[in-house]
Amino acid sequence: MRSLIGLAVVVTAATLYLYYLSLYLPAGPRRHPQPCPEGRESQQSCDTSGELRRLKFPSDLEELQELSELLQFYKTEHTAYVLLLFCSAYLYKQSFAIPGSSFLNILAGAIFGPYLGLLLACVLTTVGSTMCYLLSQAFGKQHIINLFPEKVSMLQKKVEDNRDCLFFFLLFLRFFPMTPNWFLNMSAPIVNIPIAYFFFSVFIGLLPYNFVCVIVFGYGSLYPDQSCVEINRKHCFSKKLQMHLMNFKKKKNVFQFWCFVATVFGKCMTVQES
């Protein structure tokens, strides 16, 4: 019971911090006003002012693109605030194993460019996963065992079988994610994986995945003649790449993931030559 209360206190404190941080958001742009339907005589009831854009975690690619444009607007005059807000939101999702890190990786490339975006994605993924490890170690061991007894037992057996080459085994699990990353993060302290091995295996093992997510939306910032949003809308943010990313997230298909990597490289090289 104490563990649940402790976890609830941590989640509440983190949520309040993120909420109050968002309250300091300066006034932002409005949505484009919706045109009046044809045949309507009165123009007074039409929305001509537009609705204020609000910050929220993106749940699909359209919301992701809208959030990217909004944060690009803020970044021109409030770079430090946008960086703090992004890092806080990323660590919040990673620490509590909330799905959607791929959207934030893509957002990192859109806002900060491919190089800084990739660095941020790798560091925040590693730090957030380590925080999830520590939260599980402090509050969630017994609950995770009760919820996933078979999965924990299977992972424990694999870890013991590969104890002599544990670090490389952890890298393999990250490179070829047949086991969900959120489950690895929460179960690692239960199966006695040292935190140092865990930390560096996350940083190195998720580097290819982070690179792909960041480059999909961040590659356009290498072209100073056009805006980042325009480049990615025309090239790297195509429907084909979206389909590969979503299918991988749903099915955890390793072969499909590496096909996606090759597709991204080919697409970006085509953009560079043109």
Side-chain angles (χ1 to χ4, degrees), residues 28-146:
R30 294 177 177 269
R31 300 178 190 271
H32 297 296
Q34 298 293 330
C36 292
E38 295 182 1
R40 178 178 289 183
E41 296 180 358
S42 175
Q43 298 291 329
Q44 295 179 354
S45 59
C46 297
D47 181 13
T48 57
S49 60
E51 180 185 352
L52 280 173
R53 296 184 176 183
R54 301 180 182 276
L55 281 179
K56 63 177 181 178
F57 286 117
S59 59
D60 55 41
L61 295 171
E62 291 183 0
E63 292 182 0
L64 175 67
Q65 198 163 2
E66 183 176 317
L67 181 60
S68 170
E69 294 175 356
L70 177 61
L71 291 181
Q72 284 281 5
F73 171 83
Y74 288 126
K75 183 173 176 286
T76 55
E77 297 182 0
H78 308 281
T79 304
Y81 175 81
V82 170
L83 180 61
L84 176 61
L85 183 63
F86 178 82
C87 293
S88 300
Y90 200 114
L91 291 177
Y92 181 87
K93 289 180 73 72
Q94 281 291 114
S95 300
F96 302 121
I98 302 173
S101 61
S102 59
F103 286 131
L104 293 184
N105 287 344
I106 297 173
L107 192 62
I111 301 172
F112 303 105
Y115 304 119
L116 180 58
L118 179 60
L119 177 62
L120 280 174
C122 292
V123 171
L124 293 174
T125 299
T126 305
V127 174
S129 298
T130 305
M131 291 172 68
C132 183
Y133 175 106
L134 295 174
L135 286 172
S136 175
Q137 187 177 48
F139 304 113
K141 278 188 174 182
Q142 192 58 47
H143 301 292
I144 294 171
I145 294 174
N146 293 336

Side-chain angles (χ1 to χ4, degrees), residues 16 63 88 111 120 173 195 222 228 251 256 272:
L16 288 176
E63 292 182 0
S88 300
I111 301 172
L120 280 174
L173 292 180
I195 192 169
L222 295 175
C228 178
K251 299 179 181 179
Q256 193 172 40
Q272 187 176 28

Side-chain angles (χ1 to χ4, degrees), residues 5-270:
I5 295 175
L7 181 60
V9 170
V10 173
V11 173
T12 303
T15 303
L16 288 176
Y17 161 76
L18 202 59
Y19 172 73
Y20 282 114
L21 184 62
S22 67
L23 292 181
Y24 290 95
L25 189 70
R30 294 177 177 269
R31 300 178 190 271
H32 297 296
Q34 298 293 330
C36 292
E38 295 182 1
R40 178 178 289 183
E41 296 180 358
S42 175
Q43 298 291 329
Q44 295 179 354
S45 59
C46 297
D47 181 13
T48 57
S49 60
E51 180 185 352
L52 280 173
R53 296 184 176 183
R54 301 180 182 276
L55 281 179
K56 63 177 181 178
F57 286 117
S59 59
D60 55 41
L61 295 171
E62 291 183 0
E63 292 182 0
L64 175 67
Q65 198 163 2
E66 183 176 317
L67 181 60
S68 170
E69 294 175 356
L70 177 61
L71 291 181
Q72 284 281 5
F73 171 83
Y74 288 126
K75 183 173 176 286
T76 55
E77 297 182 0
H78 308 281
T79 304
Y81 175 81
V82 170
L83 180 61
L84 176 61
L85 183 63
F86 178 82
C87 293
S88 300
Y90 200 114
L91 291 177
Y92 181 87
K93 289 180 73 72
Q94 281 291 114
S95 300
F96 302 121
I98 302 173
S101 61
S102 59
F103 286 131
L104 293 184
N105 287 344
I106 297 173
L107 192 62
I111 301 172
F112 303 105
Y115 304 119
L116 180 58
L118 179 60
L119 177 62
L120 280 174
C122 292
V123 171
L124 293 174
T125 299
T126 305
V127 174
S129 298
T130 305
M131 291 172 68
C132 183
Y133 175 106
L134 295 174
L135 286 172
S136 175
Q137 187 177 48
F139 304 113
K141 278 188 174 182
Q142 192 58 47
H143 301 292
I144 294 171
I145 294 174
N146 293 336
L147 288 172
F148 311 102
E150 295 181 0
K151 289 185 177 181
V152 172
S153 178
M154 184 181 300
L155 182 62
Q156 178 74 65
K157 184 178 184 303
K158 290 181 179 179
V159 168
E160 294 301 327
D161 292 342
N162 295 275
R163 183 66 66 177
D164 294 337
C165 54
L166 181 59
F167 181 73
F168 296 101
F169 174 69
L170 295 176
L171 282 182
F172 174 83
L173 292 180
R174 298 294 181 176
F175 279 131
F176 304 98
M178 293 169 287
T179 302
N181 284 316
W182 62 265
F183 179 73
L184 283 176
N185 296 343
M186 292 192 296
S187 60
I190 301 173
V191 297
N192 299 319
I193 295 176
I195 192 169
Y197 281 15
F198 177 86
F199 183 91
F200 288 105
S201 66
V202 172
F203 184 85
I204 300 172
L206 291 182
L207 181 59
Y209 177 74
N210 290 335
F211 173 79
V212 169
C213 291
V214 170
I215 210 69
V216 168
F217 213 160
Y219 195 83
S221 62
L222 295 175
Y223 298 88
D225 295 333
Q226 301 185 53
S227 70
C228 178
V229 175
E230 289 175 355
I231 288 289
N232 288 291
R233 186 181 290 124
K234 293 178 181 178
H235 299 287
C236 292
F237 217 58
S238 66
K239 292 294 183 181
K240 187 174 181 180
L241 296 184
Q242 295 175 25
M243 180 187 67
H244 277 291
L245 180 60
M246 292 301 102
N247 286 342
F248 167 70
K249 290 295 291 181
K250 290 179 181 178
K251 299 179 181 179
K252 292 291 180 180
N253 189 306
V254 176
F255 175 76
Q256 193 172 40
F257 171 68
W258 290 110
C259 288
F260 174 64
V261 174
T263 303
V264 171
F265 271 110
K267 193 71 175 179
C268 291
M269 292 302 103
T270 302

